[in-house]
């Protein structure tokens, strides 16, 4: 008998399960307002007014991003009659979420703003869900596809979890700020989206081998966001407003795919498990999107697909494609490949029950990730 009880076993034309049967929750959440453009940060008070959220605002930001935008947005809001509480986050953990929730309970905000990197946005997303109030995503870099998703990722040395949180009610992506962020962050965002290629292949595999529920529309959106970036790789350049805009749009699309699926499945497969393993193993991990991109090159090789196409697109954009370019030791790559299948054993991928040491060395060497 199928382990998916309420699934009636109807398959769509190409053999995948009908997508309306996959979610535990009936709710799909998407942003209501998405503002992308140069200087849109100053529209924040107007956005709050439109959303009837004027009043007290709780801002989760980071050490660097407070100066980039966190303090600035607080100034703009205060000049427009709002009262702000600024919380500088340090590490994404459930304990940090608790601390934010405790501070927010005292302050009693009308909404949360996540202003900064993936970490600050994920923390604001989870804390706002816990407080049951809306949250607005204000990325200072296009480095990850969590800017519009309803998921929040928390990783530790013991566990890597993707939590159901809530989608931002609005995304305010100021391309003036994002295009001036270190280019490495933008290129990492490209890597995170390009890695959807293998995430979707893993999901299809799990659907075929394990009858795992699959959403055609989420998979298509996820693949489309990867193709948008790979097809425009030559246009993604440092300091350009147009590049920032293009990458933000792809990240939003990828985040919406996760919200449709009700899980991070469309954007996180074996290549993300490799990245999470590397976070635990490497002395000095690289950026999330960079690690996922290199993971995608290797996982595409294991899938028997066109890994060189991914590698070439990454090179064209300027995303690292080797361990040494990421500042990671070759042995750490091989160890992460060997650990990857244990990261989320319930998520079936091309890694199956794991690689042998010689297979791990081979995939990393053939794909030129290690020397
Ligand atoms: N929820 C979801 O669906 C997803 C979540 N994620 C999560 O997001 C995280 C990765 O996000 P990512 O942003 O790559 O990495 P980090 O959150 O680690 O941020 C990277 C660094 O960039 C800095 N930074 C951000 N913007 C600027 C800027 N404009 N100028 C200078 N420095 C800047 C940050 O500063 P500061 O110290 O101020 O923060 C931080 O030090 C991971 O934890 C990952 O799991 C990734 C994809 C999807
Ligand atoms: O990083 C993500 C998608 O890009 C989220 O995936 P995880 O569920 O692996 O944290
Ligand atoms: Zn990711």
């Amino acid at each position: 008998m199928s382990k998916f009880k309420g699934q009636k076993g109807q398959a769509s034309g190409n053999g995948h399960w009908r997508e309306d049967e996959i979610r535990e929750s009936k709710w799909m959440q998407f942003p209501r307002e998405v503002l992308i453009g140069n200087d849109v940060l100053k529209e924040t008070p107007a956005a709050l007014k439109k959303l009837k959220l004027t009043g007290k605002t709780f801002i989760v930001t980071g050490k660097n991003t407070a100066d980039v935008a966190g303090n600035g947005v607080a100034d703009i809001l205060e000049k427009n009659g709002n009262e702000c509480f600024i919380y500088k986050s340090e590490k994404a953990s459930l304990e940090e979420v608790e601390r934010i929730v405790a501070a927010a309970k005292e302050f009693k905000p009308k909404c949360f703003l996540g202003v900064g990197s993936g970490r600050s946005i994920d923390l604001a997303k989870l804390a706002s869900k816990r407080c049951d109030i809306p949250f607005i995503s204000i990325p200072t870099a296009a480095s990850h596809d969590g800017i519009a998703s309803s998921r929040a990722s928390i990783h530790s040395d013991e566990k890597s979890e993707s939590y159901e949180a809530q989608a931002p009610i609005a995304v305010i992506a100021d391309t003036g700020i994002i295009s001036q962020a270190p280019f490495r962050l933008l290129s990492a965002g490209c890597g995170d989206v390009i890695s959807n290629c293998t995430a979707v292949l893993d999901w299809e595999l799990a659907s075929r081998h394990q009858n795992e529920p699959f959403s055609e529309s989420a998979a298509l959106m996820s693949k489309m966001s990867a193709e948008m970036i790979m097809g425009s790789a030559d246009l993604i350049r440092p300091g350009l407003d147009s590049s920032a805009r293009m990458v933000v749009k792809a990240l939003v699309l990828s985040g919406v795919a996760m919200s449709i699926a009700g899980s991070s499945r469309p954007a996180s497969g074996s290549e993300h498990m490799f990245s999470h393993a590397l976070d635990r193993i490497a002395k000095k991990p690289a950026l999330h999107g960079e690690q996922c991109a290199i993971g995608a090159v290797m996982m595409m090789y294991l899938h028997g697909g066109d890994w060189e196409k991914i590698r070439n697109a990454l090179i064209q954009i300027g995303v690292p494609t080797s361990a040494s370019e990421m500042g990671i030791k070759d042995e750490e790559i091989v160890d992460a490949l060997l650990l990857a299948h244990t990261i989320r054993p319930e998520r079936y991928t091309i890694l199956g029950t794991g690689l042998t040491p010689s297979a791990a060395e081979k995939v990393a060497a053939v794909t030129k990730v290690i020397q």
Side-chain angles (χ1 to χ4, degrees):
M1 191 173 98
S2 164
K3 72 183 206 188
F4 295 107
K5 280 195 172 158
Q7 191 169 292
K8 299 183 191 70
Q10 295 150 294
S12 68
N14 65 4
H16 293 136
W17 292 100
R18 289 162 64 100
E19 59 185 81
D20 56 350
E21 293 173 291
I22 71 164
R23 310 184 106 254
E24 280 177 19
S25 157
K26 292 193 178 99
W27 296 93
M28 279 191 208
Q29 291 189 335
F30 310 113
R32 202 171 115 182
E33 312 283 341
V34 178
L35 272 97
I36 308 178
N38 187 28
D39 222 14
V40 293
L41 194 70
K42 70 171 189 301
E43 310 284 336
T44 310
L48 288 189
K49 196 166 175 202
K50 188 168 180 196
L51 295 163
K52 302 196 168 36
L53 296 173
T54 299
K56 287 184 161 192
T57 307
F58 194 105
I59 299 174
V60 181
T61 187
K63 254 198 305 213
N64 306 304
T65 47
D67 290 337
V68 173
N71 296 330
V73 80
D75 281 350
I76 302 170
L77 285 171
E78 283 172 355
K79 279 189 188 124
N80 282 272
N82 296 275
E83 191 185 337
C84 297
F85 184 104
I86 298 182
Y87 188 101
K88 286 191 195 163
S89 69
E90 284 193 358
K91 192 177 182 316
S93 66
L94 291 179
E95 294 72 32
E96 185 73 339
V97 175
E98 292 304 325
R99 286 188 282 274
I100 296 172
V101 168
K105 280 190 173 152
E106 293 252 310
F107 184 63
K108 299 190 178 40
K110 273 217 173 143
C111 75
F112 274 85
L113 306 188
V115 185
S117 61
R119 184 187 67 246
S120 297
I121 290 175
D122 273 352
L123 287 167
K125 213 184 267 183
L126 274 175
S128 67
K129 162 89 174 170
R130 286 277 311 279
C131 296
D132 199 19
I133 55 177
F135 131 81
I136 295 177
S137 169
I138 307 189
T140 53
S143 49
H144 63 96
D145 58 6
I147 64 179
S149 76
S150 59
R151 313 294 307 175
S153 305
I154 299 285
H155 307 286
S156 69
D157 281 349
E158 291 80 42
K159 246 178 156 188
S160 286
E161 291 273 357
S162 168
Y163 293 90
E164 178 72 49
Q166 63 175 343
I169 190 164
V171 178
I172 301 177
D174 191 322
T175 49
I177 293 173
I178 293 169
S179 63
Q180 295 313 308
F183 182 66
R184 192 179 163 200
L185 292 168
L186 189 82
S187 66
C190 295
D192 201 20
V193 172
I194 289 175
S195 82
N196 289 2
C197 292
T198 47
V200 171
L201 285 180
D202 281 324
W203 196 13
E204 286 172 344
L205 199 67
S207 159
R208 287 196 296 272
H209 289 197
Q210 305 235 306
N211 199 19
E212 184 178 313
F214 184 86
S215 161
E216 207 73 74
S217 57
L220 272 173
M221 278 184 154
S222 169
K223 279 195 279 194
M224 197 193 294
S225 63
E227 277 160 21
M228 267 165 71
I229 296 297
M230 288 203 285
S232 313
D234 57 328
L235 302 177
I236 296 162
R237 291 287 161 262
L240 291 185
D241 196 84
S242 58
S243 301
R245 196 181 179 82
M246 194 188 313
V247 180
V248 167
K249 281 197 282 181
L251 295 172
V252 169
L253 189 58
S254 182
V256 168
M258 287 190 257
S259 300
I260 288 181
S263 90
S264 61
R265 239 320 180 175
S268 171
S270 48
E271 73 301 316
H272 271 64
M273 284 151 62
F274 162 77
S275 169
H276 302 328
L278 199 51
D279 280 337
R280 294 184 197 181
I281 285 171
K283 254 207 169 109
K284 206 168 165 286
L287 287 169
H288 170 82
E290 293 175 339
Q291 297 186 166
C292 294
I294 280 201
V297 173
M298 294 189 287
M299 300 309 149
M300 189 55 97
Y301 169 82
L302 292 178
H303 273 287
D306 191 352
W307 59 270
E308 282 171 306
K309 181 180 167 192
I310 296 184
R311 185 169 183 272
N312 290 337
L314 297 174
I315 291 172
Q316 203 168 13
I317 296 166
V319 187
T321 54
S322 68
S324 60
E325 282 170 2
M326 279 200 303
I328 284 183
K329 291 198 180 110
D330 285 2
E331 309 84 82
E332 292 174 328
I333 297 282
V334 174
D335 287 348
L337 281 169
L338 294 174
L339 182 69
H341 69 287
T342 67
I343 295 292
R344 268 183 192 148
E346 72 285 2
R347 193 166 283 197
Y348 186 85
T349 70
I350 193 70
L351 290 169
T353 51
L355 304 180
T356 61
S358 63
E361 265 189 46
K362 184 175 171 190
V363 55
V366 171
T367 55
K368 305 182 180 112
V369 172
I370 63 171
Q371 295 302 309

